[in-house]
Amino acid sequence: MKKLLILLFTSVLAFPLSPLVFAQDAPMKAAKEARWEGTVIRSNPDKSTLTVRDSNSVEMIVQYDSSTQWVSQEHGSKKVNNIDASQVKDGDRVICKGTREKEGMFHATLISKRLSHSR
């Protein structure tokens, strides 16, 4: 009977701890996708960055790398064109999707150059 009580007591203590032990082996949750849009005020191809100012005059340094997808799209159009980084210039309007790294820094997985309406 004592052995049964000890076994029961041990299992009651061990069971709540088991998720903590196994949770350490679980992969980290992916970072939530963020969005930043505004006007490119400064580009630095050597550092692979764009400084983008939003409509509230808040600036964000957007970092990109070889895995960043570059596209252009006219407002209201469903047609998306693949472009490269050299086609985005200071003064262009962009929408960036990716993750916020730290205050004032953003890592882009997608940069979409917004094109004006054709008139």
Side-chain angles (χ1 to χ4, degrees):
M1 187 66 170
K2 261 187 177 178
K3 286 183 181 181
L4 187 58
L5 279 173
I6 291 172
L7 182 62
L8 181 63
F9 182 70
T10 306
S11 65
V12 168
L13 285 178
F15 184 71
L17 297 177
S18 61
L20 296 174
V21 172
F22 293 115
Q24 292 174 355
D25 296 333
M28 293 203 47
K29 194 174 186 179
K32 183 179 176 186
E33 184 177 69
R35 174 184 165 116
W36 188 260
E37 70 178 280
T39 304
V40 177
I41 59 165
R42 191 170 27 269
S43 56
N44 187 336
D46 295 331
K47 291 186 177 180
S48 300
T49 62
L50 301 173
T51 302
V52 179
R53 182 181 293 151
D54 73 1
S55 60
N56 296 317
S57 297
V58 177
E59 295 180 9
M60 180 75 70
I61 298 172
V62 177
Q63 296 177 315
Y64 57 88
D65 57 30
S66 60
S67 67
T68 302
Q69 182 182 2
W70 295 83
V71 298
S72 67
Q73 186 174 11
E74 192 169 311
H75 180 77
S77 173
K78 294 191 184 295
K79 184 178 181 194
V80 178
N81 308 299
N82 288 318
I83 61 172
D84 61 58
S86 68
Q87 292 175 272
V88 175
K89 307 283 185 213
D90 292 0
D92 286 341
R93 183 141 179 80
V94 294
I95 297 175
C96 307
K97 291 186 178 181
T99 55
R100 285 186 181 235
E101 300 296 317
K102 57 184 176 181
E103 192 63 37
M105 296 293 284
F106 188 98
H107 183 265
T109 56
L110 173 84
I111 297 176
S112 177
K113 176 180 176 178
R114 311 314 288 176
L115 304 173
S116 303
H117 288 287
S118 302
R119 293 183 189 224

